[in-house]
Amino acid sequence: KQWYQRRVRGDHIMLHQKRYIVPFVILMFPFVVVIALVRHAFSFLFRALKPKNYPPVLRTPPESFTSLPDLGYTFTPNYVELSKGNLHLPRVHYVDEGPQTSEKVILCIHGEPTWSFLYRFMIKELAHRGYRVIALDFIGFGKSDKYSSVDMYTHDLHTLTLKLFIEHLKLANITLVVHDWGGPVGLSVVKEMPQLIDSLCILNTVLPCRDDTVLKHIVNLFHFMCWSTVIFVCQTHLPLGTLLGYEGVDGTTSRGYTAPFPNYRYKAGVARWPQLVPMLPWGNSRIIEDMRTTKRFLRNWTKPVLMMFCDDGISGKGASKELFKSLFPHGVDIPIKGGGCLLPEFKGEELAQHLSRFLNENKKKTK
């Protein structure tokens, strides 16, 4: 029999998958029904508050970002409009710091509900060390334009944005840094342009599919379902400041993260992304298959990999880290003490130092 053991606040929890999954689902069913009824009631209110006509693409007013320099986000904004054939995407914002002539490009991919603001400490440290550091904001996040309809946000939209972005800037020799739910997007793109990626840096992220979801770890599943339930009920009326406070972000810094979303109309991307992560067995089959294909490709990845997970959060102690260690047995694993889920926010300089040392050591090996 296969057992799963987790330590939570000093207590041992022994969970047997076959024995506990079915009772857990049965117990959760009334809870889900109540939440669905609450959401249905809330939807009437939201539709009443929502204007009938407003632009399909929104742009956060510049004045929303005036306080960012005081929080350490002092970078010059860059914008690009990406297109493929007849498809024209909304304007995408990105940060591009450090020497343009650097032989190494570090490309940072954010997750939910963050944006390039998350990487501000890493960007400064790495740029100071001579690297070219780029961090884009996905459509719907940060200073990038935002679709006002949740239906416009798909896994394919995010992966296409990243691919077109890399092609447009003609990036090569990339060290790809992925965090949180930026992992499924960034790692999915790796398999489509592996010749441009030199190394990977994995930070507190996931690569979920039906084969090994967090259903194996009830504690992890509960954390995910709490977050999903808030989004399911609140939709675009998410209390982002409160949720960030739960992750340990103070009120002043929280205003930096919420600056791109002056009101609920701008939060469609934030409300949609959790639904695109197939953490549950009945998730989107197309995305699940893409995750499986990505996982199969990464099993044969022989280029350098650095894994840095926190030791005090769900990602750092659960199935996610073990999955990446099995995918990359040759990878370097550096546990980070503290930091929680928003690792670059609280440990940005430390992460940058480890990454710089890692890249230097690999550079010496190749000579």
Side-chain angles (χ1 to χ4, degrees):
K1 293 182 180 180
Q2 186 176 8
W3 293 81
Y4 297 93
Q5 179 175 316
R6 291 295 304 272
R7 182 178 293 277
V8 181
R9 293 175 184 162
D11 299 322
H12 256 56
I13 299 178
M14 301 292 289
L15 300 174
H16 187 268
Q17 185 183 7
K18 293 182 180 179
R19 180 179 177 183
Y20 287 99
I21 290 299
V22 174
F24 176 77
V25 173
I26 294 174
L27 289 173
M28 287 298 295
F29 181 74
F31 176 73
V32 173
V33 171
V34 171
I35 292 298
L37 292 174
V38 172
R39 181 185 185 276
H40 187 65
F42 268 74
S43 65
F44 286 105
L45 176 61
F46 292 156
R47 281 198 294 269
L49 295 173
K50 187 176 181 180
K52 295 182 179 179
N53 297 305
Y54 55 91
V57 177
L58 302 170
R59 182 167 296 173
T60 304
E63 54 268 24
S64 296
F65 303 107
T66 54
S67 64
L68 293 184
D70 298 333
L71 300 173
Y73 192 86
T74 56
F75 314 116
T76 301
N78 302 274
Y79 298 96
V80 61
E81 294 188 5
L82 305 170
S83 61
K84 182 178 182 180
N86 295 326
L87 176 63
H88 299 277
L89 297 179
R91 190 177 73 167
V92 171
H93 165 264
Y94 65 99
V95 171
D96 191 346
E97 296 290 314
Q100 298 290 301
T101 56
S102 174
E103 62 181 17
K104 279 288 184 181
V105 176
I106 299 176
L107 177 58
C108 301
I109 308 300
H110 70 81
E112 157 92 2
T114 60
W115 53 292
S116 56
F117 180 79
L118 172 74
Y119 287 109
R120 62 197 185 282
F121 301 122
M122 288 186 68
I123 293 172
K124 288 183 178 181
E125 182 68 22
L126 290 168
H128 177 71
R129 291 170 177 260
Y131 297 100
R132 182 184 179 188
V133 190
I134 300 174
L136 84 158
D137 295 333
F138 282 113
I139 296 169
F141 297 82
K143 294 186 177 183
S144 292
D145 288 351
K146 300 160 183 68
Y147 288 119
S148 55
S149 171
V150 294
D151 297 329
M152 295 299 294
Y153 295 95
T154 64
H155 177 69
D156 291 341
L157 169 69
H158 292 321
T159 55
L160 177 63
T161 300
L162 182 54
K163 285 186 290 185
L164 293 178
F165 179 79
I166 292 173
E167 292 172 355
H168 181 84
L169 293 187
K170 297 181 173 59
L171 301 180
N173 303 320
I174 300 170
T175 293
L176 189 68
V177 181
V178 294
H179 173 261
D180 191 64
W181 292 346
V185 174
L187 296 176
S188 177
V189 170
V190 170
K191 72 178 184 297
E192 300 186 35
M193 42 180 58
Q195 73 283 2
L196 301 179
I197 313 297
D198 277 358
S199 56
L200 301 175
C201 179
I202 313 293
L203 306 175
N204 277 18
T205 189
V206 295
L207 192 61
C209 65
R210 282 197 186 110
D211 303 327
D212 50 12
T213 67
V214 291
L215 277 172
K216 292 180 179 179
H217 301 267
I218 302 300
V219 176
N220 290 16
L221 178 62
F222 179 75
H223 184 274
F224 173 76
M225 290 196 69
C226 286
W227 172 253
S228 299
T229 299
V230 172
I231 293 175
F232 186 72
V233 174
C234 298
Q235 302 175 67
T236 56
H237 293 258
L238 284 166
L240 290 181
T242 301
L243 295 173
L244 289 165
Y246 173 75
E247 298 294 348
V249 180
D250 62 75
T252 301
T253 304
S254 177
R255 286 194 286 273
Y257 283 103
T258 60
F261 316 108
N263 61 53
Y264 72 92
R265 300 181 196 176
Y266 294 80
K267 298 179 184 178
V270 178
R272 178 60 173 166
W273 205 344
Q275 302 173 40
L276 305 178
V277 181
M279 299 292 276
L280 301 173
W282 50 85
N284 185 299
S285 59
R286 182 174 176 178
I287 301 176
I288 289 174
E289 185 55 38
D290 185 45
M291 294 297 96
R292 283 176 172 162
T293 305
T294 300
K295 189 182 300 182
R296 286 194 293 268
F297 174 83
L298 292 177
R299 288 194 186 280
N300 298 315
W301 182 265
T302 58
K303 297 180 183 179
V305 178
L306 174 62
M307 297 171 284
M308 294 187 285
F309 286 75
C310 66
D311 67 354
D312 64 345
I314 296 298
S315 299
K317 293 185 176 181
S320 298
K321 181 177 179 178
E322 296 306 315
L323 168 64
F324 286 110
K325 289 176 70 175
S326 69
L327 287 177
F328 308 119
H330 66 291
V332 176
D333 176 26
I334 302 179
I336 304 299
K337 186 173 181 58
C341 293
L342 298 179
L343 200 54
E345 169 64 36
F346 300 105
K347 299 290 182 176
E349 292 183 359
E350 180 182 345
L351 297 177
Q353 291 165 7
H354 287 307
L355 178 55
S356 177
R357 189 179 304 113
F358 170 78
L359 294 175
N360 287 334
E361 289 174 355
N362 281 286
K363 183 178 179 179
K364 293 176 182 177
K365 291 178 183 178
T366 57
K367 286 186 176 181

